[in-house]
Amino acid sequence: MLLTGQGTWRRGAAAWRRWRKGRPFWGGLAAVVAGAEICAIPLAPLKVMLQQGIAGIPSVLMGLVMILMGLSAWFAPHYRGLAGVLTVLVSAAALVMSNLGGFLFGTIVGILGGGMIFAWQPRPLPELGADGAEAEAEPSGSGPAPSGSGPAPSPPRPRG
């Protein structure tokens, strides 16, 4: 196993999976893609850019803000509320200010990504028992109590 590198690949894949699940990865990816698309349209060839003039600057700035919010969702997930709201607001503003928000693709993907960033919640860590192992969840219901955990339940009383 040491010579084939199989263990290294598995450890790397497991570390990637843990990192990805510990943050709003898909929402951040959607925000980065939407920001790159909104940012790239005004960066057309020079001949087209000269015709567009100063109107291309807000498009580039909005795209950069969306990319920054997507990256902050990845690397600082505790700011997910701010990043999600700003991504949605900038995406909606890009609809008016930037070539229909990147020909609607950037706006739609940005709004979806911002919503995913805002809605993401971290998973609670499992509680550890006294021996350091994860505590088993006790089933809820009215089943018999385990022995030694207190008084036994009283039998039901007859009606009437």
Side-chain angles (χ1 to χ4, degrees):
M1 180 136 128
L2 199 60
L3 297 175
T4 62
Q6 197 70 354
T8 305
W9 170 256
R10 286 187 183 144
R11 279 193 304 261
W16 165 253
R17 215 173 297 117
R18 267 192 317 275
W19 183 85
R20 187 184 48 146
K21 289 184 178 185
R23 57 205 73 247
F25 178 77
W26 296 110
L29 182 65
V32 168
V33 167
E37 202 270 338
I38 288 174
C39 192
I41 287 178
L43 297 177
L46 185 60
K47 190 173 185 179
V48 176
M49 193 62 181
L50 288 175
Q51 292 172 354
Q52 192 173 13
I54 194 94
I57 293 174
S59 300
V60 173
L61 291 177
M62 285 188 286
L64 290 176
V65 167
M66 288 177 66
I67 291 170
L68 182 66
M69 291 299 107
L71 292 176
S72 71
W74 283 350
F75 298 111
H78 49 279
Y79 292 123
R80 67 187 178 277
L82 175 69
V85 170
L86 281 179
T87 301
V88 169
L89 289 176
V90 171
S91 298
L95 184 65
V96 177
M97 298 177 71
S98 171
N99 298 324
L100 285 175
F103 302 118
L104 290 179
F105 176 79
T107 295
I108 292 171
V109 172
I111 288 174
L112 290 174
M116 286 191 285
I117 291 171
F118 186 76
W120 180 82
Q121 291 290 320
R123 289 184 181 170
L125 296 174
E127 295 181 20
L128 297 179
D131 59 353
E134 292 182 14
E136 294 180 18
E138 294 185 21
S140 61
S142 60
S147 60
S149 65
S154 61
R157 294 183 184 181
R159 291 188 179 181

